[in-house]
């Protein structure tokens, strides 16, 4: 069955719930779910890891089924995982993710086809480790994209085709793809994806999109794809935020700049660090002091910080609602705090609090506020 058909009941459920908005509900009632409350505005999604897709993390899976109508692969579709060697694909984890999404009537998002990070080491070089020719790289890209997109044809709602290709100053990131093919690798990737599944939506996805240089360059990229007649449906604004960045105003400026290209906007990887931003160049000579600065709340998040974090998250969600005419999906980058990649970034063992559900799988206060549940 085509996804757009499977999504219809979700949209209707959202509409019905919106009509009874304002009423206090118990958590077990359907109206207390994010997808019921906001599914008429945009898809509401979460990234899933393997422990969740396999069913091992039962609490996270219960949340995914109750609250979300879209999922995205946190890691299992990245090149180093799905295509580790030139002649070997590892499709089982991705198959499970797509099956799970389909069984639960969710819009499944593929992440990501062309990215310099988590790229299988063989992809851009020959057996001597030298860059392959432009022709060979194009052939490899085409084979990679058509195999993966083709396998899930008609079952994936949309693909992050190219990820993180533009720098803050607006220049192209000097990846192997760029080194070998120049700017043209981007339209080429979109073209390959479109040929493999003409129905699938296609996205360009990046972080730090509030930064003016990147904002302008991404908007120009989208326009140039459209001028070439290449399909691009949406710009994915990864929402990796902190307590002091971005401002709602800057984020909104970028959102509007992308919408002005005629593309839709998706908030693709939403999380917000609750910890103070520590500059990599901070002059903290003592290692223990540096670790304490990086990991200031190893037990629990103080209420005073939690209040600010929740207010900021609510402000951003309000912004998403304000622009629901152009935003087609809001996706959290994980289910509960315990699973977030931010726990180990930039150092292993760091305790973070960036997601919509806490370590006990309870909704954060701003989520309860949104759902009007006690
Ligand atoms: O697969 C190995 C596993 O075999 C091993 O047991 C385990 C122990 O360390 O590591 C596993 O790999 C890790 C993988 O996540 C799965 O947990 C990698 O070391 C780790 O680097 C990887 O991190 C992912 C990161 O992308 C890599 O760049 C995060 O989970 C994932 O959340 C993060 O997601 C990215 C988006 O794709 C793109 N935008 C930025 C975002 C955050 O960095």
């Amino acid at each position: 069955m085509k996804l757009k058909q499977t999504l219809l009941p979700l949209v209707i459920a959202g509409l019905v719930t919106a009509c009874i908005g304002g009423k206090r509900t118990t958590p077990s009632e359907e109206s207390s779910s994010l997808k019921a409350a906001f599914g008429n505005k945009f898809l509401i999604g979460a990234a899933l890891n393997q422990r969740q897709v396999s069913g091992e993390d039962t609490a996270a899976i219960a949340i995914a089924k109750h609250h979300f109508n879209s999922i995205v692969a946190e890691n299992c579709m990245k090149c180093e995982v799905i295509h580790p060697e030139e002649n070997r694909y590892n499709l089982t984890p991705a198959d499970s993710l797509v099956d799970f999404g389909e069984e639960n009537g969710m819009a499944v998002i593929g992440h990501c086809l062309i990215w310099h990070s988590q790229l299988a080491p063989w992809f851009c070089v020959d057996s001597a480790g030298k860059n392959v020719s432009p022709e060979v790289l194009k052939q490899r890209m085409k084979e990679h994209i058509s195999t993966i997109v083709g396998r899930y044809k008609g079952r994936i709602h949309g693909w992050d085709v190219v990820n993180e290709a533009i720098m803050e100053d607006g220049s192209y990131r000097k990846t192997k793809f760029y080194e070998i093919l120049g700017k043209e690798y981007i339209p080429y990737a979109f073209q390959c994806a479109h040929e493999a599944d003409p129905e699938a939506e296609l996205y360009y996805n990046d972080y730090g999109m509030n930064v003016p240089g990147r904002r302008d360059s991404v908007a120009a990229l989208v326009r140039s794809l459209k001028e070439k007649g290449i399909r691009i449906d949406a710009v994915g604004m990864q929402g990796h935020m902190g307590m002091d960045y971005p401002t709602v105003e800057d984020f909104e400026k970028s959102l509007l700049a992308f919408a002005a290209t005629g593309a839709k906007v998706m908030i693709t990887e939403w999380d917000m660090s609750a910890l103070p931003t520590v500059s990599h160049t901070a002059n903290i000579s003592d290692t223990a002091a540096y670790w304490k600065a990086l990991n200031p709340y190893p037990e629990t998040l103080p209420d005073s910080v939690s209040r600010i974090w929740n207010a900021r998250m609510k402000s951003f969600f309000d912004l998403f609602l304000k622009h629901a005419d152009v935003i087609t999906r809001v996706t959290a980058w994980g289910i509960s705090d315990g699973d977030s990649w931010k726990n180990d970034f930039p150092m292993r063992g760091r305790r973070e609090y960036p997601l919509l559900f806490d370590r006990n799988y309870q909704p954060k206060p701003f989520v309860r506020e949104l759902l009007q549940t006690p």
Side-chain angles (χ1 to χ4, degrees), residues 239-285:
H240 297 300
M241 303 176 172
M243 294 290 262
D244 53 3
Y245 67 91
T247 63
V248 172
E249 293 73 25
D250 284 346
F251 199 84
E252 183 174 36
K253 253 189 221 166
S254 295
L255 199 158
L256 292 172
F258 300 142
T261 68
K264 295 293 184 190
V265 173
M266 296 182 152
I267 313 303
T268 53
E269 302 183 14
W270 196 30
D271 55 24
M272 184 184 288
S273 171
L275 311 187
T277 307
V278 179
S279 155
H280 295 298
T281 55
N283 183 19
I284 306 177
S285 49

Side-chain angles (χ1 to χ4, degrees), residues 59-86:
I61 282 305
I63 290 177
K65 289 182 181 177
H66 183 67
H67 284 284
F68 297 103
N69 56 19
S70 176
I71 53 169
V72 55
E74 185 177 4
N75 284 299
C76 70
M77 289 182 173
K78 291 173 181 171
C79 182
E80 71 173 9
V81 179
I82 202 167
H83 195 180
E85 293 169 46
E86 184 166 10

Side-chain angles (χ1 to χ4, degrees), residues 83 86-87 89 122-123 137-148 188 192:
H83 195 180
E86 184 166 10
N87 297 314
Y89 283 89
W122 64 270
F123 206 95
L137 184 56
K138 282 176 92 171
Q139 182 274 323
R140 287 182 181 182
M141 284 173 66
K142 193 176 183 69
E143 202 272 337
H144 175 78
I145 293 172
S146 58
T147 301
I148 298 167
Y188 183 68
C192 292

Side-chain angles (χ1 to χ4, degrees), residues 74-75 78 111 115 117-118 163-164 238 240 269 333 341 348:
E74 185 177 4
N75 284 299
K78 291 173 181 171
H111 171 84
W115 188 28
S117 184
Q118 287 185 284
N163 200 39
E164 302 174 5
Q238 296 180 17
H240 297 300
E269 302 183 14
W333 201 241
W341 68 287
R348 214 160 247 292

Side-chain angles (χ1 to χ4, degrees), residues 92-374:
T92 312
D95 285 354
S96 309
L97 180 105
V98 177
D99 289 347
F100 175 84
E102 215 163 45
E103 281 157 18
N104 291 287
M106 296 162 160
V108 183
I109 308 299
H111 171 84
C112 47
L113 296 170
I114 297 294
W115 188 28
H116 65 282
S117 184
Q118 287 185 284
L119 177 66
W122 64 270
F123 206 95
C124 297
V125 292
D126 61 20
S127 52
K130 294 219 162 57
N131 283 358
V132 292
S133 66
E135 294 69 33
V136 170
L137 184 56
K138 282 176 92 171
Q139 182 274 323
R140 287 182 181 182
M141 284 173 66
K142 193 176 183 69
E143 202 272 337
H144 175 78
I145 293 172
S146 58
T147 301
I148 298 167
V149 176
R151 182 173 182 90
Y152 305 112
K153 186 174 177 185
R155 303 174 68 197
I156 293 271
H157 185 73
W159 284 96
D160 287 337
V161 180
V162 176
N163 200 39
E164 302 174 5
I166 305 290
M167 304 295 284
E168 287 197 355
D169 65 2
S171 63
Y172 278 63
R173 188 183 291 277
K174 304 301 177 283
T175 65
K176 287 269 181 205
F177 295 107
Y178 183 83
E179 216 178 286
I180 299 170
L181 291 170
K183 291 180 178 181
E184 287 311 302
Y185 85 87
I186 298 182
Y188 183 68
F190 276 82
Q191 197 52 41
C192 292
H194 183 57
E195 282 166 15
D197 186 355
E199 297 287 309
E201 292 188 352
L202 305 180
Y203 320 127
Y204 174 78
N205 190 50
D206 214 328
Y207 65 91
M209 295 285 244
N210 52 297
V211 179
R214 185 176 280 130
R215 170 200 300 153
D216 295 346
S217 206
V218 170
L221 169 65
V222 175
R223 285 202 171 87
S224 83
L225 290 171
K226 284 177 170 291
E227 278 158 18
K228 289 185 171 87
I230 291 174
R231 176 168 187 168
I232 174 163
D233 293 272
V235 174
M237 297 178 74
Q238 296 180 17
H240 297 300
M241 303 176 172
M243 294 290 262
D244 53 3
Y245 67 91
T247 63
V248 172
E249 293 73 25
D250 284 346
F251 199 84
E252 183 174 36
K253 253 189 221 166
S254 295
L255 199 158
L256 292 172
F258 300 142
T261 68
K264 295 293 184 190
V265 173
M266 296 182 152
I267 313 303
T268 53
E269 302 183 14
W270 196 30
D271 55 24
M272 184 184 288
S273 171
L275 311 187
T277 307
V278 179
S279 155
H280 295 298
T281 55
N283 183 19
I284 306 177
S285 49
D286 179 299
T287 313
Y290 183 59
W291 175 240
K292 199 163 183 325
L294 275 180
N295 195 30
Y297 314 124
E299 307 294 332
T300 183
L301 194 64
D303 284 348
S304 56
V305 180
S306 169
R307 273 195 293 277
I308 299 169
W309 183 92
N310 276 282
R312 248 176 89 67
M313 289 293 277
K314 175 74 167 46
S315 308
F316 276 99
F317 200 83
D318 287 344
L319 179 76
F320 307 155
L321 290 174
K322 176 180 169 191
H323 294 291
D325 55 331
V326 290
I327 294 180
T328 50
R329 174 169 58 97
V330 174
T331 287
W333 201 241
I335 301 277
S336 73
D337 283 346
D339 293 315
S340 170
W341 68 287
K342 280 189 174 279
N343 287 304
D344 292 314
F345 185 83
M347 276 161 98
R348 214 160 247 292
R350 194 181 195 218
R351 194 170 175 92
E352 257 285 15
Y353 308 84
L355 289 168
L356 279 59
F357 295 83
D358 67 20
R359 281 177 170 72
N360 296 318
Y361 301 95
Q362 297 305 305
K364 299 276 180 78
F366 91 96
V367 176
R368 291 184 199 278
E369 192 184 335
L370 286 173
L371 297 176
Q372 300 178 306
T373 52

